[in-house]
Amino acid sequence: METFTIRAQARASLPGTGRQAIVGVVASGNLEVLLERSETGDAVVVDVTTSARGFRAVWEAVVADFIARSSPGGVRFSIHDNGARPDTVTLRLLQGVKLLETQP
Amino acid sequence: MIPEEIVRSPSWYESSARNRIAGVLDADTFHEILGPAERVMSPHLELFDLPPAFDDGVIVGRGQLDGKPVAIIAQEGQFMGGTFAEVSGAKIVGLLRAVTAAAGTPDGVSAVLLLLDTGGVRLQEANAGELAVSETVRALLGVRAAGIPVVALVGGRAGAFGGGGIVTACCSHVVISEQGRISVTGPEVIETNKGAEEFDSRDRALVWRVTGGRSRVLLGGADSYVKGDVASFRAAAARSRNAAPPFTLETMAAEQERLEKRLSSYGDCRDTPEIWARAGLADPASVPDIDDDAFLALLSEREIKHDAR
Amino acid sequence: MTPVELLTRLFPSGHEVVAGPFNTLAGRAILTDGAAVEVVGVTDGAPLSPEIATELAGRIIRIVQDGKKTPIVLLIDTASQRMTRRDEMLGLNEYLAHLAKVVTLAGLSGHRTVAVLYGAAAAGAFIATALAAQTLITIDGAHPSVMDLPSIARVTKLPLQLLEKKAETTPIFAPGVTPLAATGAVLENWSEADNFSNRLETALTLEASSDTRDTLGEERGGRKVAYSVALRVAAEFEKAAR
C-alpha cells in the first residue's frame, strides 16, 4: 500500500451546502471517496490510500485534471483505492462533487 | 437507454449497501451511526497490506419504514466480501444491544432489518470475526426475546455464507430473491476439502439448486420470496415485520419438529429436484427455469408457511 | 482426554451420562454438593451434522421444558461443520442456527450454560456449540479454530510462512486456545493438574446474564476496539432517536 496527500487550489469553492458525502466501494478495481467540506477558501486536499504502489504521478495528473474541470474549492477528498483505473477515479470524483453539491 | 423498470426500481443484487438502505427506508429518514466521516475502520487490514473502508463494510443506523421506526444494518458484499470482523461485527452487535435496551421505551423500534451480504468471517481477522458472529447471534436473539422481530433480507452478491448463513437462520423471518444464496460452507471450500465429486463448484446450476433462493424458500430456509428489485424487498420487509414468530421455547420446539421432519423426509435425496418430486411438485425439473411470476404462483398454491424459526 | 476420563474428573460424585446416537452423549451428573447438572456433548471429533445438531438441540429443549432450570454443561469435541453437498442442500445453516438458538434460549430461560472444550471445534460448528454457551472453558490439548492456517493461506492468497510469522505478533487470526482466549472467547483454560470438579463448580456460580466477551478481549488486549465500538454505537443510537 501507499499513502500520500495532494494539495491544490481550485478556481472557486464548490457550490451547495452539503457537508459530507461518500461514493464508491473499496472493491477490486474500484475506490471509495469521502468528501468533507472542511478546507478554508478554495483549497483542495486529496488524501490517497492505494493498494497500487508507484502511481503517485498518475494520481497527481488525474487530480489536477479533475480540479480544472470542476473546481471543488474547500473540499477534502479522502480516498481508499483498490487498484481502480484513472477513468474510474475521475468518475468517482465527479460523482462525489455532484452529490455534495446537490445534498441539502 | 436504460429500461424504465430498472430506473424505477433498481436491482437489489446490483445495488450497493447504501443504495439498498435508501431504497428500503422511507425517503430521507436514514440516520447513520458511526458513519464514514467518523473513520471507524479495521485496525488489522494494514498488516495484510489491504486498503480499509471508512465504514468497514457495515452500515448501521435508524430510519423509518412506512412511518414506523426501524433499526437497519447493511453489509457491503463488495468490500472484503461483506465479512464479519472486529469493527464491522462490533457495529452490528452494538446496534442490536441498543435495540434491546430501548425495547418498550419511546426510543424503541418496530423491527430490525438485517441486509446480509457476506461470505462469513473475515479470515484476516478470523478470531475477531468468529466471535463477532457468536456475539451477533446472542445479541440478535436478545432482540427477539425482547419482542422485536429481526427480518433478514438476502439477495446480494456475496450471499449469506459461513457464519452469515447461521445468523440468517437466527432471524425471525427471512426474505430472499432468486439470486440470494444461503449456505454454511461454500461450494468452493467443499470442493477443495472433499473433491469435485462431492460438490462441483463450477457447475453453477447445481450451486444454485443447492444454495439458491428458490430452493431455500421451497424447503423452508427462507419465508418470503421476492422479485430481485429493491422495491420488492422493501414491501416484503414491511409485510413480514408483523408476521414474525416470537423467540420462545414453543417456537424452538416447533422448529425442532420442522427440522427433524425435513431430515426424515428428504435426508436421502441427492439433489433438490428429487426433494421437489417427493414433495409433490408437478414439474420439479422446471423450478429453476420458470420466471418469477410463475414461481410466486407455485408458492402461493402450496402455501408454504410455518411459524417455527 | 477421553469423555470417560473427563466425566470422572468433572463429576467425582457420580453421573449417568451415556453415549447417544451420532457421537453424542447425554445424561445427568451430580456435583460434590449434591446438586444436579445436565450434560450433553459431542465426542470423537465428529463433524457437526444436521443429525448431531437435532440430537443435541432436542435434548436441551426437553431439559428446558422440564422447568427446573438445571445448569447445562456442554462437553465438546467436534470438528468443523460437516462439509457435504447433501447437508448444505438440507439447510445445514438452519440446523447449526437451531442448536445455537436452543443453547442461547436455555441461558435466557435461567439455565446456567457452560461449555467445556476438550477436543476440537472449528468454524460454524464452533459457533453452534462451544461459543453458544454463556461460558467457554478449554482444557489443555483443546484445539479451537476458525480455519487452519493452510486454508487461510489458500483463501487469502498469502504464503503460509508469512501468516505463521504474522501470527506471532497478533492473536487476531491464528488458531488455538491462546489467541482465542486473548480475544475473549475463552474464559479460562484448565491444565491437567487442575481440580476439574472444583473449577467447574466455581464456574457455575459466576453471573453470566450478559455477553462480556468483548470486554474480556479488550482487557486481555486481543480485541482492542470491539467493545468501545459497540459502546459508541449504542450511545449514538440513543441520540439518533431524539
Side-chain angles (χ1 to χ4, degrees), chain B residues 31 33-34 38 40 43-44 47-48 62 86-87 90-91 94-95 97-99 102 107 109 121 123-128 130-131 133-135 138 141 145 165-166 169-170 182-185 190 192-194 198-199 206 210 216 219-221 247-249 252-253 255-256 258-259 262-263 266-267 269-272 275 309, chain C residues 50-51 54 57-58 61 64-65 81 83-86 88-98 100-102 104-105 108 123-124 126-127 131-134 145-147 152 154-156 158 163 166 170-174 179-180 183-185 211 213-214 223-226 229-230 232-234 236-238 240-242:
Chain B
H31 183 129
I33 293 170
L34 296 197
E38 306 278 340
V40 182
H44 307 295
L47 182 68
F48 296 91
R62 291 178 66 108
E86 179 162 7
V87 169
K91 287 170 79 172
L95 191 80
R97 288 178 183 165
V99 166
D107 296 349
V109 293
V121 169
L123 292 177
Q124 290 84 356
E125 309 178 28
N127 294 337
E130 181 94 346
L131 266 180
V133 172
S134 181
E135 287 165 345
R138 211 173 292 180
L141 296 174
I166 298 175
C170 287
I182 306 174
S183 213
V184 189
T185 313
I190 296 182
T192 304
N193 282 285
K194 306 283 167 180
E198 180 59 43
F199 205 156
L206 172 67
V210 170
R216 290 306 180 211
L219 199 60
F247 182 57
T248 59
L249 182 57
M252 286 304 99
E255 182 169 70
Q256 176 80 17
R258 178 172 75 83
L259 294 177
R262 185 190 296 168
L263 267 188
Y266 309 121
C269 292
R270 282 291 296 162
D271 203 344
T272 44
I275 297 180
R309 188 181 303 290
Chain C
E51 284 79 4
T54 45
I61 286 172
V64 180
Q65 282 169 338
Q81 64 278 6
M83 294 185 187
T84 66
R85 191 177 89 181
R86 176 259 192 188
E88 290 298 343
M89 179 183 76
L90 289 172
L92 183 58
N93 71 302
E94 288 180 86
Y95 289 87
L96 298 183
H98 178 64
K101 280 187 276 190
V102 168
T104 306
L105 181 76
L108 289 172
F126 188 25
I127 291 167
L131 286 176
Q134 291 165 330
S145 65
V146 181
M147 200 183 251
I152 292 182
R154 213 162 39 226
V155 178
T156 59
L158 291 168
L163 281 179
K166 287 184 196 297
T170 175
I172 209 72
F173 67 89
L180 273 156
T183 55
D211 189 350
R213 291 175 289 182
D214 52 0
R223 256 194 319 161
K224 295 193 179 85
V225 302
V229 169
R232 279 181 70 185
V233 171
E236 293 290 324
F237 182 82
E238 275 181 39
R242 304 292 144 76

Side-chain angles (χ1 to χ4, degrees), chain A residues 4 30 39 49-50 52 55-56 58 83 101 104:
Chain A
F4 50 86
N30 207 338
E39 304 310 302
T49 297
T50 172
F55 289 91
R56 181 165 183 162
V58 177
E101 269 182 65

Side-chain angles (χ1 to χ4, degrees), chain C residues 128-213:
Chain C
T129 59
L131 286 176
Q134 291 165 330
T135 300
L136 172 56
I137 284 155
T138 55
I139 288 180
D140 269 353
H143 190 73
S145 65
V146 181
M147 200 183 251
D148 59 276
L149 285 186
S151 300
I152 292 182
R154 213 162 39 226
V155 178
T156 59
K157 299 182 176 69
L158 291 168
L160 180 58
Q161 281 172 320
L162 184 77
L163 281 179
E164 282 167 348
K165 198 162 168 11
K166 287 184 196 297
E168 290 166 15
T169 61
T170 175
I172 209 72
F173 67 89
V177 170
T178 306
L180 273 156
T183 55
V186 179
L187 181 71
E188 53 190 37
N189 183 69
W190 300 346
S191 59
E192 194 62 35
D194 283 325
N195 182 325
F196 288 6
S197 75
N198 274 355
R199 296 205 70 165
L200 176 66
E201 285 170 27
T202 306
L204 285 169
T205 62
L206 298 176
E207 206 278 327
S209 56
S210 62
D211 189 350
T212 54
R213 291 175 289 182

Side-chain angles (χ1 to χ4, degrees), chain B residues 71-282:
Chain B
I72 192 163
I73 298 163
Q75 294 171 317
E76 176 50 71
Q78 294 184 79
F79 172 69
M80 298 298 299
T83 41
F84 286 86
E86 179 162 7
V87 169
S88 64
K91 287 170 79 172
I92 297 171
V93 171
L95 191 80
L96 292 170
R97 288 178 183 165
V99 166
T100 303
T105 76
D107 296 349
V109 293
S110 64
V112 177
L113 308 181
L114 181 49
L115 284 57
L116 290 128
D117 192 356
T118 182
V121 169
R122 185 182 297 167
L123 292 177
Q124 290 84 356
E125 309 178 28
N127 294 337
E130 181 94 346
L131 266 180
V133 172
S134 181
E135 287 165 345
T136 296
V137 165
R138 211 173 292 180
L140 190 160
L141 296 174
V143 170
R144 289 187 60 187
I148 298 164
V150 182
V151 180
L153 306 179
V154 182
R157 289 162 187 262
F161 282 91
I166 298 175
V167 169
T168 301
C170 287
C171 294
S172 327
H173 190 99
V174 181
V175 178
I176 201 165
S177 61
E178 182 179 14
Q179 287 164 312
R181 288 165 298 150
I182 306 174
S183 213
V184 189
T185 313
E188 290 83 3
V189 180
I190 296 182
E191 183 179 328
T192 304
N193 282 285
K194 306 283 167 180
E197 265 173 84
E198 180 59 43
F199 205 156
D200 182 355
S201 66
R202 282 157 306 173
D203 184 345
R204 302 317 289 173
L206 172 67
V207 170
W208 239 264
R209 283 203 305 278
V210 170
T211 69
R214 290 189 178 182
S215 292
R216 290 306 180 211
V217 75
L218 276 172
L219 199 60
D223 307 280
S224 296
Y225 181 87
V226 294
K227 295 183 182 182
D229 61 308
V230 173
S232 294
F233 272 97
R234 171 183 157 90
R239 265 199 315 276
S240 54
R241 170 170 55 181
N242 305 316
F247 182 57
T248 59
L249 182 57
E250 290 68 36
T251 304
M252 286 304 99
E255 182 169 70
Q256 176 80 17
E257 196 185 328
R258 178 172 75 83
L259 294 177
E260 281 179 359
K261 187 160 172 243
R262 185 190 296 168
L263 267 188
S264 65
S265 303
Y266 309 121
D268 60 334
C269 292
R270 282 291 296 162
D271 203 344
T272 44
E274 240 182 293
I275 297 180
W276 313 148
R278 203 175 284 180
L281 251 70

